[in-house]
Amino acid sequence: MKTLKANPYYAAGIAAFVIWGFIPFPLKALAAFPSGQILFFRIALSIVFLLIISLLFRRRSIRSTIQQVKQSAARERRLFFTYTFLGGLLLTVNWLSFIYVINHINIQTGSFSYLLCPILTAVLGFLLLKEPLRTNQWLAIGLSALSCILVGTGEITSLLYSLLVGLSYAFYLITQRLLKVYDKIVLLNLQLILAFAFIAPFYSYFTSGTTPALNTHFFLNIAMLSALFTVLPLFLNLYALKELTSGTIGILMYINPLLNFIMAFLYFNEETTLTKVMAYLLIFVSVIIYNINLKGRKKTGAGMVIPPVGTTAVVK
């Protein structure tokens, strides 16, 4: 009975990551437009969609979060505003760099970033939050470092962009762990508003060169990014976390970069080198080793996987 009951939650979790796995399609359709312009409109529409949903269905959560902040100690309030601010800033950096990587570097680099991201998050959790790591997880971290060396020897630019995307989101996840007692949708609304405030003053800079005119094609793909690749999988993931452990979600998240890799080679005809193939296989093996022995993880609904323009990360 328990397995049958959990099926809809597994289906929701898998659906969320499958949707995020197809993010290169709308991004590639907008490749002619500047990355900053794409991000500007995507954030704006995402804010609109999330605010409508929050005001219609989550007003109680908004009131509860406001009351929670008001009643907290002065130090807790400062931490809330500091980490919310940092979260908005890190999301902006991550989303902008990811769009640029997909459209101007290659899909493989973007996918590699999010295979690395959980490992990077674990290292930062150990260094900043003193979270313990098992022996197999240290082995996985060592293999991940070796895969980075292999990528770096082939093309240092790809490695640097992978680390920028992966590290910016890993740091974002660390800030969110420190805000785990607050409602995640309310926090995401605030962070998106901050992200819009960060990027809006630079809109004229992003569009200063020769850019295509905004048309129906542009806004349809932007609406798809905002509604289909942000809001829908976000709520599917929240639904999944009602019954699934965040460790299980962490396993399911690898559907996304694997789909990215498949599309890069089979649909977008990207080429690679033997060195990169070895690096990708190595990081994949490290992911398997890292996630061995998940039985000891406690079930929690506090985590949430939030897409950096439709990609994934693990909150343990």
Side-chain angles (χ1 to χ4, degrees):
M1 284 298 292
K2 187 175 181 181
T3 303
L4 291 174
K5 183 181 178 182
N7 279 342
Y9 300 98
Y10 276 104
I14 291 170
F17 294 111
V18 168
I19 291 170
W20 280 327
F22 286 93
I23 187 69
F25 283 101
L27 287 180
K28 284 290 189 182
L30 295 169
F33 296 89
S35 300
Q37 188 177 37
I38 296 170
L39 183 58
F40 175 89
F41 283 101
R42 179 185 180 265
I43 291 175
L45 279 181
S46 294
I47 290 171
V48 171
F49 289 139
L50 281 173
L51 282 177
I52 289 173
I53 291 171
S54 296
L55 292 174
L56 289 178
F57 305 108
R58 298 182 59 84
R59 282 180 290 182
R60 181 178 298 177
S61 297
I62 296 173
R63 289 194 296 267
S64 175
T65 302
I66 293 173
Q67 194 66 22
Q68 190 177 359
V69 174
K70 284 183 177 180
Q71 292 177 351
S72 61
R75 181 178 179 277
E76 291 298 320
R77 282 197 299 273
R78 285 196 300 271
L79 291 177
F80 172 83
F81 290 117
T82 299
Y83 291 129
T84 300
F85 176 87
L86 286 175
L89 181 61
L90 289 166
L91 270 185
T92 305
V93 172
N94 179 264
W95 288 18
L96 184 60
S97 59
F98 181 77
I99 293 173
Y100 182 83
V101 164
I102 293 295
N103 282 348
H104 302 288
I105 306 297
N106 54 54
I107 297 172
Q108 300 169 57
T109 300
S111 182
F112 186 71
S113 301
Y114 286 101
L115 283 174
L116 276 177
C117 189
I119 306 292
L120 293 172
T121 306
V123 173
L124 291 176
F126 173 78
L127 294 175
L128 301 178
L129 304 180
K130 309 304 179 185
E131 296 178 346
L133 292 170
R134 300 189 302 272
T135 302
N136 62 292
Q137 292 175 321
W138 280 115
L139 175 59
I141 290 168
L143 290 175
S144 299
L146 181 56
S147 72
C148 288
I149 293 172
L150 289 174
V151 171
T153 56
E155 189 178 348
I156 191 66
T157 301
S158 295
L159 175 61
L160 292 176
Y161 274 110
S162 290
L163 289 175
L164 174 61
V165 175
L167 277 172
S168 59
Y169 204 61
F171 274 112
Y172 171 76
L173 291 177
I174 294 297
T175 66
Q176 298 318 288
R177 287 183 184 181
L178 297 170
L179 295 173
K180 62 184 179 181
V181 298
Y182 299 98
D183 183 90
K184 298 302 180 184
I185 293 295
V186 175
L187 283 176
L188 183 60
N189 269 298
L190 291 174
Q191 289 160 353
L192 286 180
I193 292 170
L194 283 168
F196 186 78
F198 293 142
I199 200 170
F202 299 99
Y203 182 80
S204 59
Y205 170 78
F206 293 132
T207 58
S208 59
T210 303
T211 59
L214 301 183
N215 51 27
T216 304
H217 167 82
F218 175 83
F219 285 109
L220 282 176
N221 280 282
I222 289 293
M224 195 183 305
L225 279 172
S226 303
L228 182 59
F229 290 93
T230 300
V231 176
L232 176 60
L234 172 63
F235 279 95
L236 285 172
N237 185 68
L238 283 175
Y239 176 77
L241 278 167
K242 289 182 178 179
E243 288 293 326
L244 304 184
T245 66
S246 55
T248 301
I249 291 292
I251 296 296
L252 295 180
M253 68 158 285
Y254 295 109
I255 294 171
N256 173 15
L258 290 177
L259 283 175
N260 288 169
F261 274 126
I262 291 170
M263 286 188 295
F265 298 121
L266 298 184
Y267 186 85
F268 293 103
N269 299 316
E270 289 189 1
E271 296 181 357
T272 190
T273 64
L274 180 59
T275 302
K276 279 190 175 182
V277 170
M278 291 174 61
Y280 298 151
L281 288 175
L282 199 57
I283 188 66
F284 184 68
V285 170
S286 73
V287 164
I288 295 174
I289 293 173
Y290 181 85
N291 286 290
I292 290 174
N293 187 27
L294 292 174
K295 293 180 180 179
R297 294 188 180 185
K298 294 180 180 179
K299 184 176 179 179
T300 175
M304 183 179 71
V305 181
I306 303 172
V309 197
T311 47
T312 60
V314 176
V315 179
K316 298 183 184 66

